Amino acid sequence: MGRRITLDEFIVENQTQQDQASGAFSGLLRHIGIAAKIVNRIVNKAGLMDILGVDGNVNSSGDTVQKLDIYANDLMIEYLQNSGLCAGVASEELDSFVSFTNKFNRNNKYIVVIDPLDGSSNIDVNISVGTIFGIYQRISPATDELQLTDFLQKGIHQVAAGYVLYGTSTMLVYTTGDGVNGFTYDRGIGEFCLSHPDMKIPQTGNNYSINQGYYKQFSEGIQQYLDECADKSMMQRYIGSMVADVHRTICLGGVFLYPRTINNPNGKLRMLYECSPLSFVIEQAGGLSINDQGMRIMDIEVSELHQRSSIIIGSSKNVEGILKYLE
Ligand code: AHM
């Protein structure tokens, strides 16, 4: 077996091929990779440390905070700050964005949006969780303070996005707008190694992924679509960790849906931290991502940090096939 390219080597090689990839941008991706290794280590031995269970608080998005959410959040922010390459971060776990004010960071042109530990309610029962990130260029001049508008950007303005899946193996998958590549963590050498070059989602697939328990809360159109899936005996698969459900969808084809419900009339998932980054990845892999009104997620205006959205994301033919059921 030949030697595999490491994430660092891949980033450096790509940096020379891409105009937009300055050294700073590549360094930022590398630091996300380093932080992911540490989160991975902690997630792996969470049961041995006193970091399972709830923290006792509710975050800005209204979710119960797990101890590991806080741990992953603090760690990611610390690494992004120490990278000296990022001007600030908005996290699903924080009410507001964080501006890095030290002299190494304040003039940087990139900002990061992050869901440090997606699906964390699954962690206590040893089910896969993930980290999701998106990188944007700031809008405000690098000499000024960061503004809220630096973060309220549509998905199409992302310069990179990706996720880390802490699953049966740990994978980092990312795009810089030139296809999608996946790296599997090799514990023996402590490196992410290229294992899934140029990932492509099948154009169509037999899996559909949705929380079927909300059936009665969905619109009539979504209910009809689900009835049709059942009539065709399609495979229903739902982990309840978006990263894991979307990763399976990329690998096998099919569709992941989190439509509006009565309890979540705007959808549950967060535009900045979950929907936009994963939409960028899936589009780059050849798939589609829309909301349940048929609008492309990446084109939707973002007016608040914790804006929620419905989402239908997956193989192009599956997503196109759902359009006729939407209002
Ligand atoms: P979290 O950020 O609190 O972990 O919530 C996000 C998760 C997603 O990973 C997943 O797709 C969804 O919530 C599951 O929601 P539900 O339990 O309503 O099906």
Side-chain angles (χ1 to χ4, degrees):
M1 193 176 70
R3 191 178 78 81
R4 290 200 183 265
I5 298 177
T6 66
L7 175 65
D8 278 9
E9 289 169 339
F10 186 87
I11 289 171
V12 169
E13 194 176 308
N14 254 31
Q15 180 182 324
T16 54
Q17 287 169 4
Q18 282 182 9
D19 292 339
Q20 63 161 357
S22 66
F25 176 65
S26 304
L28 196 48
L29 281 171
R30 282 212 298 272
H31 274 80
I32 290 174
I34 298 168
K37 287 184 205 173
I38 300 176
V39 174
N40 175 60
R41 197 179 68 200
I42 300 301
V43 164
N44 269 252
K45 56 180 186 181
L48 300 173
M49 303 164 72
D50 183 28
I51 48 174
L52 287 179
V54 296
D55 156 89
N57 291 310
V58 171
N59 69 15
S60 343
S61 303
D63 303 317
T64 304
V65 177
Q66 307 284 321
K67 288 183 197 164
L68 265 171
D69 282 324
I70 300 301
Y71 185 89
N73 178 68
D74 294 353
L75 196 119
M76 282 287 169
I77 291 179
E78 184 188 328
Y79 269 78
L80 288 166
Q81 177 160 27
N82 290 346
S83 73
L85 302 168
C86 168
V89 181
S91 162
E92 192 205 298
E93 298 303 330
L94 302 178
D95 288 340
S96 190
F97 63 87
V98 176
S99 300
F100 299 141
T101 48
N102 68 48
K103 65 179 172 115
F104 303 112
N105 289 80
R106 68 178 166 231
N107 295 336
N108 281 313
K109 63 177 181 185
Y110 296 108
I111 60 102
V112 175
V113 293
I114 194 152
D115 180 351
L117 210 57
D118 178 70
S120 54
S121 60
N122 277 326
I123 198 112
D124 288 0
V125 287
N126 206 359
I127 288 175
S128 304
V129 290
T131 296
I132 309 174
F133 63 90
I135 304 177
Y136 294 82
Q137 284 201 24
R138 65 188 288 177
I139 298 169
S140 59
T143 44
D144 292 359
E145 290 283 307
L146 273 185
Q147 309 289 320
L148 180 59
T149 45
D150 288 315
F151 294 89
L152 302 182
Q153 299 195 50
K154 292 183 194 175
I156 44 166
H157 298 306
Q158 289 171 103
V159 293
Y163 59 82
V164 185
L165 172 60
Y166 311 100
T168 42
S169 62
T170 297
M171 276 193 75
L172 188 151
V173 174
Y174 81 95
T175 181
T176 54
D178 186 26
V180 179
N181 290 283
F183 301 80
T184 301
Y185 186 57
D186 182 338
R187 232 176 270 264
I189 58 171
E191 295 284 356
F192 283 103
C193 296
L194 183 64
S195 52
H196 295 60
D198 197 18
M199 293 171 76
K200 293 283 177 230
I201 181 169
Q203 280 195 340
T204 183
N206 200 33
N207 285 284
Y208 67 110
S209 183
I210 188 166
N211 190 334
Q212 185 83 19
Y214 301 142
Y215 181 88
K216 291 197 170 161
Q217 295 195 44
F218 295 140
S219 67
E220 250 177 61
I222 295 290
Q223 289 179 351
Q224 279 168 16
Y225 171 70
L226 296 179
D227 294 344
E228 187 193 294
C229 292
D231 289 345
K232 291 185 188 159
S233 297
M234 285 175 68
M235 304 295 282
Q236 207 271 332
R237 294 282 183 267
Y238 190 71
I239 296 169
S241 278
M242 190 185 188
V243 172
D245 282 315
V246 168
H247 182 72
R248 183 198 51 248
T249 305
I250 294 177
C251 295
L252 300 181
V255 64
F256 170 86
L257 307 93
Y258 206 118
R260 285 169 292 171
T261 60
I262 294 170
N263 291 345
N264 283 304
N266 298 316
K268 172 184 175 184
L269 300 170
R270 272 57 47 137
M271 180 63 92
L272 275 181
Y273 315 115
E274 290 157 332
C275 300
S276 285
L278 294 179
S279 298
F280 190 21
V281 171
I282 218 125
E283 285 196 5
Q284 284 295 314
L288 291 175
S289 179
I290 59 174
N291 69 5
D292 65 8
Q293 287 144 298
M295 295 162 72
R296 181 187 179 209
I297 292 283
M298 299 257 284
D299 282 336
I300 296 174
E301 295 283 349
V302 184
S303 55
E304 44 185 289
L305 282 179
H306 295 282
Q307 183 168 319
R308 292 175 189 264
S309 176
S310 57
I311 188 164
I312 299 172
I313 181 169
S315 296
S316 54
K317 291 221 171 355
N318 294 62
V319 174
E320 281 161 4
I322 296 173
L323 284 173
K324 64 176 184 283
Y325 297 98
L326 307 181
E327 288 147 24

